[in-house]
PDB file of all heavy atoms in Angstrom:
ATOM      1  N   GLU X   1       0.828  -1.206   0.000  1.00 64.00           N
ATOM      2  CA  GLU X   1       0.000   0.000   0.000  1.00 64.00           C
ATOM      3  C   GLU X   1       0.861   1.254   0.000  1.00 64.00           C
ATOM      4  O   GLU X   1       0.539   2.251  -0.644  1.00 64.00           O
ATOM      5  CB  GLU X   1      -0.929   0.001   1.217  1.00 64.00           C
ATOM      6  CG  GLU X   1      -2.048  -1.033   1.123  1.00 64.00           C
ATOM      7  CD  GLU X   1      -2.864  -1.124   2.410  1.00 64.00           C
ATOM      8  OE1 GLU X   1      -2.410  -0.592   3.438  1.00 64.00           O
ATOM      9  OE2 GLU X   1      -3.950  -1.726   2.375  1.00 64.00           O
ATOM     10  N   GLN X   2       1.968   1.199   0.744  1.00 66.00           N
ATOM     11  CA  GLN X   2       2.857   2.352   0.816  1.00 66.00           C
ATOM     12  C   GLN X   2       3.676   2.509  -0.455  1.00 66.00           C
ATOM     13  O   GLN X   2       4.059   3.610  -0.843  1.00 66.00           O
ATOM     14  CB  GLN X   2       3.791   2.220   2.022  1.00 66.00           C
ATOM     15  CG  GLN X   2       3.059   2.346   3.347  1.00 66.00           C
ATOM     16  CD  GLN X   2       3.845   1.788   4.508  1.00 66.00           C
ATOM     17  OE1 GLN X   2       4.863   1.126   4.319  1.00 66.00           O
ATOM     18  NE2 GLN X   2       3.376   2.026   5.710  1.00 66.00           N
ATOM     19  N   LEU X   3       3.936   1.385  -1.107  1.00 67.00           N
ATOM     20  CA  LEU X   3       4.790   1.400  -2.289  1.00 67.00           C
ATOM     21  C   LEU X   3       4.037   1.843  -3.534  1.00 67.00           C
ATOM     22  O   LEU X   3       4.543   2.597  -4.357  1.00 67.00           O
ATOM     23  CB  LEU X   3       5.376  -0.001  -2.502  1.00 67.00           C
ATOM     24  CG  LEU X   3       6.384  -0.189  -3.621  1.00 67.00           C
ATOM     25  CD1 LEU X   3       7.633   0.627  -3.337  1.00 67.00           C
ATOM     26  CD2 LEU X   3       6.730  -1.654  -3.780  1.00 67.00           C
ATOM     27  N   VAL X   4       2.804   1.379  -3.670  1.00 69.00           N
ATOM     28  CA  VAL X   4       2.059   1.595  -4.904  1.00 69.00           C
ATOM     29  C   VAL X   4       1.468   2.997  -4.954  1.00 69.00           C
ATOM     30  O   VAL X   4       0.829   3.454  -4.020  1.00 69.00           O
ATOM     31  CB  VAL X   4       0.942   0.539  -5.049  1.00 69.00           C
ATOM     32  CG1 VAL X   4       0.070   0.850  -6.248  1.00 69.00           C
ATOM     33  CG2 VAL X   4       1.545  -0.850  -5.185  1.00 69.00           C
ATOM     34  N   ASP X   5       1.682   3.651  -6.079  1.00 74.00           N
ATOM     35  CA  ASP X   5       1.081   4.951  -6.340  1.00 74.00           C
ATOM     36  C   ASP X   5      -0.359   4.705  -6.790  1.00 74.00           C
ATOM     37  O   ASP X   5      -0.589   4.042  -7.812  1.00 74.00           O
ATOM     38  CB  ASP X   5       1.883   5.638  -7.459  1.00 74.00           C
ATOM     39  CG  ASP X   5       1.396   7.032  -7.763  1.00 74.00           C
ATOM     40  OD1 ASP X   5       0.172   7.260  -7.702  1.00 74.00           O
ATOM     41  OD2 ASP X   5       2.229   7.892  -8.081  1.00 74.00           O
ATOM     42  N   PRO X   6      -1.359   5.205  -6.054  1.00 72.00           N
ATOM     43  CA  PRO X   6      -2.755   4.939  -6.415  1.00 72.00           C
ATOM     44  C   PRO X   6      -3.114   5.397  -7.818  1.00 72.00           C
ATOM     45  O   PRO X   6      -3.918   4.765  -8.494  1.00 72.00           O
ATOM     46  CB  PRO X   6      -3.557   5.703  -5.349  1.00 72.00           C
ATOM     47  CG  PRO X   6      -2.602   6.662  -4.733  1.00 72.00           C
ATOM     48  CD  PRO X   6      -1.254   6.038  -4.840  1.00 72.00           C
ATOM     49  N   LYS X   7      -2.511   6.489  -8.272  1.00 74.00           N
ATOM     50  CA  LYS X   7      -2.779   6.968  -9.630  1.00 74.00           C
ATOM     51  C   LYS X   7      -2.266   5.982 -10.674  1.00 74.00           C
ATOM     52  O   LYS X   7      -2.921   5.713 -11.686  1.00 74.00           O
ATOM     53  CB  LYS X   7      -2.118   8.331  -9.842  1.00 74.00           C
ATOM     54  CG  LYS X   7      -2.832   9.494  -9.177  1.00 74.00           C
ATOM     55  CD  LYS X   7      -4.140   9.795  -9.891  1.00 74.00           C
ATOM     56  CE  LYS X   7      -4.781  11.048  -9.323  1.00 74.00           C
ATOM     57  NZ  LYS X   7      -6.077  11.338  -9.987  1.00 74.00           N
ATOM     58  N   LEU X   8      -1.075   5.404 -10.405  1.00 74.00           N
ATOM     59  CA  LEU X   8      -0.535   4.408 -11.322  1.00 74.00           C
ATOM     60  C   LEU X   8      -1.345   3.126 -11.266  1.00 74.00           C
ATOM     61  O   LEU X   8      -1.525   2.449 -12.282  1.00 74.00           O
ATOM     62  CB  LEU X   8       0.929   4.108 -10.976  1.00 74.00           C
ATOM     63  CG  LEU X   8       1.936   5.216 -11.289  1.00 74.00           C
ATOM     64  CD1 LEU X   8       3.334   4.755 -10.917  1.00 74.00           C
ATOM     65  CD2 LEU X   8       1.883   5.623 -12.748  1.00 74.00           C
ATOM     66  N   LEU X   9      -1.836   2.787 -10.078  1.00 68.00           N
ATOM     67  CA  LEU X   9      -2.656   1.584  -9.935  1.00 68.00           C
ATOM     68  C   LEU X   9      -3.926   1.716 -10.770  1.00 68.00           C
ATOM     69  O   LEU X   9      -4.340   0.774 -11.447  1.00 68.00           O
ATOM     70  CB  LEU X   9      -3.017   1.372  -8.464  1.00 68.00           C
ATOM     71  CG  LEU X   9      -3.742   0.068  -8.125  1.00 68.00           C
ATOM     72  CD1 LEU X   9      -2.909  -1.146  -8.525  1.00 68.00           C
ATOM     73  CD2 LEU X   9      -4.064   0.014  -6.642  1.00 68.00           C
ATOM     74  N   GLU X  10      -4.526   2.889 -10.740  1.00 68.00           N
ATOM     75  CA  GLU X  10      -5.710   3.150 -11.572  1.00 68.00           C
ATOM     76  C   GLU X  10      -5.362   2.988 -13.045  1.00 68.00           C
ATOM     77  O   GLU X  10      -6.126   2.417 -13.828  1.00 68.00           O
ATOM     78  CB  GLU X  10      -6.221   4.567 -11.336  1.00 68.00           C
ATOM     79  CG  GLU X  10      -6.895   4.779  -9.984  1.00 68.00           C
ATOM     80  CD  GLU X  10      -7.271   6.241  -9.767  1.00 68.00           C
ATOM     81  OE1 GLU X  10      -7.313   6.983 -10.768  1.00 68.00           O
ATOM     82  OE2 GLU X  10      -7.511   6.621  -8.610  1.00 68.00           O
ATOM     83  N   THR X  11      -4.189   3.464 -13.418  1.00 66.00           N
ATOM     84  CA  THR X  11      -3.758   3.383 -14.807  1.00 66.00           C
ATOM     85  C   THR X  11      -3.628   1.932 -15.260  1.00 66.00           C
ATOM     86  O   THR X  11      -4.094   1.553 -16.328  1.00 66.00           O
ATOM     87  CB  THR X  11      -2.400   4.094 -14.988  1.00 66.00           C
ATOM     88  OG1 THR X  11      -2.541   5.451 -14.582  1.00 66.00           O
ATOM     89  CG2 THR X  11      -1.945   4.056 -16.433  1.00 66.00           C
ATOM     90  N   VAL X  12      -3.014   1.110 -14.400  1.00 58.00           N
ATOM     91  CA  VAL X  12      -2.836  -0.308 -14.736  1.00 58.00           C
ATOM     92  C   VAL X  12      -4.186  -1.011 -14.817  1.00 58.00           C
ATOM     93  O   VAL X  12      -4.451  -1.802 -15.716  1.00 58.00           O
ATOM     94  CB  VAL X  12      -1.938  -1.000 -13.686  1.00 58.00           C
ATOM     95  CG1 VAL X  12      -1.905  -2.497 -13.932  1.00 58.00           C
ATOM     96  CG2 VAL X  12      -0.531  -0.426 -13.746  1.00 58.00           C
ATOM     97  N   GLN X  13      -5.076  -0.717 -13.865  1.00 55.00           N
ATOM     98  CA  GLN X  13      -6.377  -1.368 -13.844  1.00 55.00           C
ATOM     99  C   GLN X  13      -7.217  -1.020 -15.067  1.00 55.00           C
ATOM    100  O   GLN X  13      -8.040  -1.795 -15.509  1.00 55.00           O
ATOM    101  CB  GLN X  13      -7.128  -0.970 -12.570  1.00 55.00           C
ATOM    102  CG  GLN X  13      -6.535  -1.585 -11.310  1.00 55.00           C
ATOM    103  CD  GLN X  13      -7.178  -1.040 -10.046  1.00 55.00           C
ATOM    104  OE1 GLN X  13      -7.726   0.052 -10.024  1.00 55.00           O
ATOM    105  NE2 GLN X  13      -7.103  -1.813  -8.978  1.00 55.00           N
ATOM    106  N   GLU X  14      -6.974   0.170 -15.642  1.00 46.00           N
ATOM    107  CA  GLU X  14      -7.747   0.610 -16.792  1.00 46.00           C
ATOM    108  C   GLU X  14      -7.107   0.220 -18.118  1.00 46.00           C
ATOM    109  O   GLU X  14      -7.643   0.486 -19.179  1.00 46.00           O
ATOM    110  CB  GLU X  14      -7.906   2.137 -16.744  1.00 46.00           C
ATOM    111  CG  GLU X  14      -8.679   2.657 -15.543  1.00 46.00           C
ATOM    112  CD  GLU X  14     -10.146   2.288 -15.584  1.00 46.00           C
ATOM    113  OE1 GLU X  14     -10.670   2.090 -16.694  1.00 46.00           O
ATOM    114  OE2 GLU X  14     -10.753   2.178 -14.509  1.00 46.00           O
ATOM    115  N   GLU X  15      -5.958  -0.436 -18.041  1.00 44.00           N
ATOM    116  CA  GLU X  15      -5.176  -0.664 -19.259  1.00 44.00           C
ATOM    117  C   GLU X  15      -5.944  -1.436 -20.322  1.00 44.00           C
ATOM    118  O   GLU X  15      -5.746  -1.219 -21.516  1.00 44.00           O
ATOM    119  CB  GLU X  15      -3.882  -1.415 -18.905  1.00 44.00           C
ATOM    120  CG  GLU X  15      -2.913  -1.492 -20.054  1.00 44.00           C
ATOM    121  CD  GLU X  15      -1.567  -2.014 -19.615  1.00 44.00           C
ATOM    122  OE1 GLU X  15      -1.369  -2.270 -18.418  1.00 44.00           O
ATOM    123  OE2 GLU X  15      -0.711  -2.173 -20.491  1.00 44.00           O
ATOM    124  N   LYS X  16      -6.845  -2.313 -19.937  1.00 51.00           N
ATOM    125  CA  LYS X  16      -7.552  -3.141 -20.907  1.00 51.00           C
ATOM    126  C   LYS X  16      -8.436  -2.316 -21.852  1.00 51.00           C
ATOM    127  O   LYS X  16      -8.808  -2.781 -22.928  1.00 51.00           O
ATOM    128  CB  LYS X  16      -8.409  -4.185 -20.173  1.00 51.00           C
ATOM    129  CG  LYS X  16      -9.478  -3.603 -19.271  1.00 51.00           C
ATOM    130  CD  LYS X  16     -10.211  -4.703 -18.524  1.00 51.00           C
ATOM    131  CE  LYS X  16     -11.266  -4.096 -17.588  1.00 51.00           C
ATOM    132  NZ  LYS X  16     -11.954  -5.138 -16.805  1.00 51.00           N
ATOM    133  N   VAL X  17      -8.796  -1.093 -21.449  1.00 70.00           N
ATOM    134  CA  VAL X  17      -9.650  -0.274 -22.306  1.00 70.00           C
ATOM    135  C   VAL X  17      -8.828   0.734 -23.104  1.00 70.00           C
ATOM    136  O   VAL X  17      -9.373   1.549 -23.828  1.00 70.00           O
ATOM    137  CB  VAL X  17     -10.722   0.487 -21.478  1.00 70.00           C
ATOM    138  CG1 VAL X  17     -11.609  -0.496 -20.730  1.00 70.00           C
ATOM    139  CG2 VAL X  17     -10.107   1.478 -20.515  1.00 70.00           C
ATOM    140  N   TYR X  18      -7.523   0.701 -22.981  1.00 84.00           N
ATOM    141  CA  TYR X  18      -6.673   1.637 -23.705  1.00 84.00           C
ATOM    142  C   TYR X  18      -6.567   1.238 -25.176  1.00 84.00           C
ATOM    143  O   TYR X  18      -6.637   0.055 -25.534  1.00 84.00           O
ATOM    144  CB  TYR X  18      -5.266   1.675 -23.120  1.00 84.00           C
ATOM    145  CG  TYR X  18      -5.175   2.295 -21.739  1.00 84.00           C
ATOM    146  CD1 TYR X  18      -4.045   2.106 -20.953  1.00 84.00           C
ATOM    147  CD2 TYR X  18      -6.204   3.073 -21.231  1.00 84.00           C
ATOM    148  CE1 TYR X  18      -3.950   2.672 -19.693  1.00 84.00           C
ATOM    149  CE2 TYR X  18      -6.113   3.646 -19.982  1.00 84.00           C
ATOM    150  CZ  TYR X  18      -4.988   3.440 -19.213  1.00 84.00           C
ATOM    151  OH  TYR X  18      -4.901   4.005 -17.972  1.00 84.00           O
ATOM    152  N   SER X  19      -6.319   2.232 -25.977  1.00 88.00           N
ATOM    153  CA  SER X  19      -6.046   1.962 -27.387  1.00 88.00           C
ATOM    154  C   SER X  19      -4.692   1.280 -27.498  1.00 88.00           C
ATOM    155  O   SER X  19      -3.874   1.313 -26.573  1.00 88.00           O
ATOM    156  CB  SER X  19      -6.036   3.271 -28.186  1.00 88.00           C
ATOM    157  OG  SER X  19      -4.945   4.085 -27.757  1.00 88.00           O
ATOM    158  N   ALA X  20      -4.450   0.675 -28.652  1.00 88.00           N
ATOM    159  CA  ALA X  20      -3.182  -0.025 -28.871  1.00 88.00           C
ATOM    160  C   ALA X  20      -2.002   0.945 -28.749  1.00 88.00           C
ATOM    161  O   ALA X  20      -0.937   0.577 -28.235  1.00 88.00           O
ATOM    162  CB  ALA X  20      -3.187  -0.677 -30.247  1.00 88.00           C
ATOM    163  N   GLN X  21      -2.194   2.203 -29.192  1.00 92.00           N
ATOM    164  CA  GLN X  21      -1.105   3.181 -29.128  1.00 92.00           C
ATOM    165  C   GLN X  21      -0.716   3.506 -27.683  1.00 92.00           C
ATOM    166  O   GLN X  21       0.470   3.586 -27.357  1.00 92.00           O
ATOM    167  CB  GLN X  21      -1.503   4.488 -29.846  1.00 92.00           C
ATOM    168  CG  GLN X  21      -1.673   4.332 -31.349  1.00 92.00           C
ATOM    169  CD  GLN X  21      -3.135   4.266 -31.711  1.00 92.00           C
ATOM    170  OE1 GLN X  21      -3.921   3.653 -30.986  1.00 92.00           O
ATOM    171  NE2 GLN X  21      -3.503   4.879 -32.833  1.00 92.00           N
ATOM    172  N   ILE X  22      -1.719   3.672 -26.821  1.00 92.00           N
ATOM    173  CA  ILE X  22      -1.420   4.010 -25.425  1.00 92.00           C
ATOM    174  C   ILE X  22      -0.807   2.815 -24.703  1.00 92.00           C
ATOM    175  O   ILE X  22       0.119   2.969 -23.895  1.00 92.00           O
ATOM    176  CB  ILE X  22      -2.677   4.517 -24.697  1.00 92.00           C
ATOM    177  CG1 ILE X  22      -3.161   5.819 -25.323  1.00 92.00           C
ATOM    178  CG2 ILE X  22      -2.399   4.723 -23.210  1.00 92.00           C
ATOM    179  CD1 ILE X  22      -2.127   6.930 -25.358  1.00 92.00           C
ATOM    180  N   GLN X  23      -1.287   1.621 -24.970  1.00 89.00           N
ATOM    181  CA  GLN X  23      -0.687   0.426 -24.377  1.00 89.00           C
ATOM    182  C   GLN X  23       0.783   0.320 -24.788  1.00 89.00           C
ATOM    183  O   GLN X  23       1.645  -0.009 -23.979  1.00 89.00           O
ATOM    184  CB  GLN X  23      -1.458  -0.825 -24.809  1.00 89.00           C
ATOM    185  CG  GLN X  23      -2.845  -0.923 -24.180  1.00 89.00           C
ATOM    186  CD  GLN X  23      -3.507  -2.254 -24.487  1.00 89.00           C
ATOM    187  OE1 GLN X  23      -2.885  -3.309 -24.385  1.00 89.00           O
ATOM    188  NE2 GLN X  23      -4.762  -2.212 -24.863  1.00 89.00           N
ATOM    189  N   GLU X  24       1.050   0.613 -26.050  1.00 93.00           N
ATOM    190  CA  GLU X  24       2.434   0.561 -26.538  1.00 93.00           C
ATOM    191  C   GLU X  24       3.271   1.660 -25.885  1.00 93.00           C
ATOM    192  O   GLU X  24       4.447   1.458 -25.559  1.00 93.00           O
ATOM    193  CB  GLU X  24       2.451   0.715 -28.055  1.00 93.00           C
ATOM    194  CG  GLU X  24       3.838   0.719 -28.686  1.00 93.00           C
ATOM    195  CD  GLU X  24       4.626  -0.559 -28.441  1.00 93.00           C
ATOM    196  OE1 GLU X  24       3.990  -1.626 -28.257  1.00 93.00           O
ATOM    197  OE2 GLU X  24       5.875  -0.495 -28.411  1.00 93.00           O
ATOM    198  N   ALA X  25       2.656   2.827 -25.663  1.00 94.00           N
ATOM    199  CA  ALA X  25       3.370   3.933 -25.017  1.00 94.00           C
ATOM    200  C   ALA X  25       3.761   3.564 -23.589  1.00 94.00           C
ATOM    201  O   ALA X  25       4.897   3.825 -23.158  1.00 94.00           O
ATOM    202  CB  ALA X  25       2.494   5.188 -25.014  1.00 94.00           C
ATOM    203  N   LEU X  26       2.834   2.959 -22.830  1.00 92.00           N
ATOM    204  CA  LEU X  26       3.121   2.559 -21.445  1.00 92.00           C
ATOM    205  C   LEU X  26       4.231   1.509 -21.415  1.00 92.00           C
ATOM    206  O   LEU X  26       5.111   1.550 -20.551  1.00 92.00           O
ATOM    207  CB  LEU X  26       1.857   2.012 -20.781  1.00 92.00           C
ATOM    208  CG  LEU X  26       0.688   2.995 -20.630  1.00 92.00           C
ATOM    209  CD1 LEU X  26      -0.505   2.312 -19.959  1.00 92.00           C
ATOM    210  CD2 LEU X  26       1.105   4.227 -19.843  1.00 92.00           C
ATOM    211  N   LYS X  27       4.191   0.592 -22.368  1.00 91.00           N
ATOM    212  CA  LYS X  27       5.227  -0.438 -22.453  1.00 91.00           C
ATOM    213  C   LYS X  27       6.581   0.197 -22.765  1.00 91.00           C
ATOM    214  O   LYS X  27       7.604  -0.153 -22.161  1.00 91.00           O
ATOM    215  CB  LYS X  27       4.857  -1.455 -23.540  1.00 91.00           C
ATOM    216  CG  LYS X  27       5.877  -2.572 -23.717  1.00 91.00           C
ATOM    217  CD  LYS X  27       5.465  -3.522 -24.843  1.00 91.00           C
ATOM    218  CE  LYS X  27       6.531  -4.583 -25.064  1.00 91.00           C
ATOM    219  NZ  LYS X  27       6.191  -5.465 -26.220  1.00 91.00           N
ATOM    220  N   TYR X  28       6.593   1.149 -23.687  1.00 95.00           N
ATOM    221  CA  TYR X  28       7.836   1.835 -24.062  1.00 95.00           C
ATOM    222  C   TYR X  28       8.428   2.579 -22.873  1.00 95.00           C
ATOM    223  O   TYR X  28       9.638   2.523 -22.633  1.00 95.00           O
ATOM    224  CB  TYR X  28       7.553   2.803 -25.215  1.00 95.00           C
ATOM    225  CG  TYR X  28       8.785   3.494 -25.740  1.00 95.00           C
ATOM    226  CD1 TYR X  28       9.542   2.925 -26.763  1.00 95.00           C
ATOM    227  CD2 TYR X  28       9.208   4.721 -25.212  1.00 95.00           C
ATOM    228  CE1 TYR X  28      10.688   3.556 -27.246  1.00 95.00           C
ATOM    229  CE2 TYR X  28      10.343   5.357 -25.677  1.00 95.00           C
ATOM    230  CZ  TYR X  28      11.084   4.766 -26.697  1.00 95.00           C
ATOM    231  OH  TYR X  28      12.224   5.389 -27.160  1.00 95.00           O
ATOM    232  N   VAL X  29       7.574   3.263 -22.120  1.00 95.00           N
ATOM    233  CA  VAL X  29       8.039   4.000 -20.935  1.00 95.00           C
ATOM    234  C   VAL X  29       8.695   3.040 -19.946  1.00 95.00           C
ATOM    235  O   VAL X  29       9.790   3.302 -19.436  1.00 95.00           O
ATOM    236  CB  VAL X  29       6.878   4.758 -20.265  1.00 95.00           C
ATOM    237  CG1 VAL X  29       7.293   5.279 -18.887  1.00 95.00           C
ATOM    238  CG2 VAL X  29       6.424   5.920 -21.140  1.00 95.00           C
ATOM    239  N   ASP X  30       8.031   1.930 -19.661  1.00 91.00           N
ATOM    240  CA  ASP X  30       8.575   0.966 -18.693  1.00 91.00           C
ATOM    241  C   ASP X  30       9.931   0.426 -19.136  1.00 91.00           C
ATOM    242  O   ASP X  30      10.818   0.216 -18.310  1.00 91.00           O
ATOM    243  CB  ASP X  30       7.597  -0.196 -18.518  1.00 91.00           C
ATOM    244  CG  ASP X  30       6.706  -0.012 -17.313  1.00 91.00           C
ATOM    245  OD1 ASP X  30       6.722   1.088 -16.724  1.00 91.00           O
ATOM    246  OD2 ASP X  30       5.975  -0.955 -16.950  1.00 91.00           O
TER     247      ASP X  30
END
């Protein structure tokens, strides 16, 4: 709970509804 950024957690949980471009962008960033 202390480690995880809630905003990032929301982002990961919503990833399935992202467009292919945004999914690729998140992967590139990581």
Side-chain angles (χ1 to χ4, degrees):
E1 289 174 346
Q2 291 161 349
L3 185 64
V4 174
D5 183 324
K7 284 289 186 181
L8 289 181
L9 187 59
E10 288 175 17
T11 302
V12 173
Q13 289 173 336
E14 297 291 334
E15 189 170 357
K16 61 184 179 182
V17 300
Y18 291 164
S19 65
Q21 293 102 321
I22 296 304
Q23 290 187 45
E24 178 60 27
L26 297 180
K27 180 182 177 184
Y28 184 89
V29 168
D30 263 9

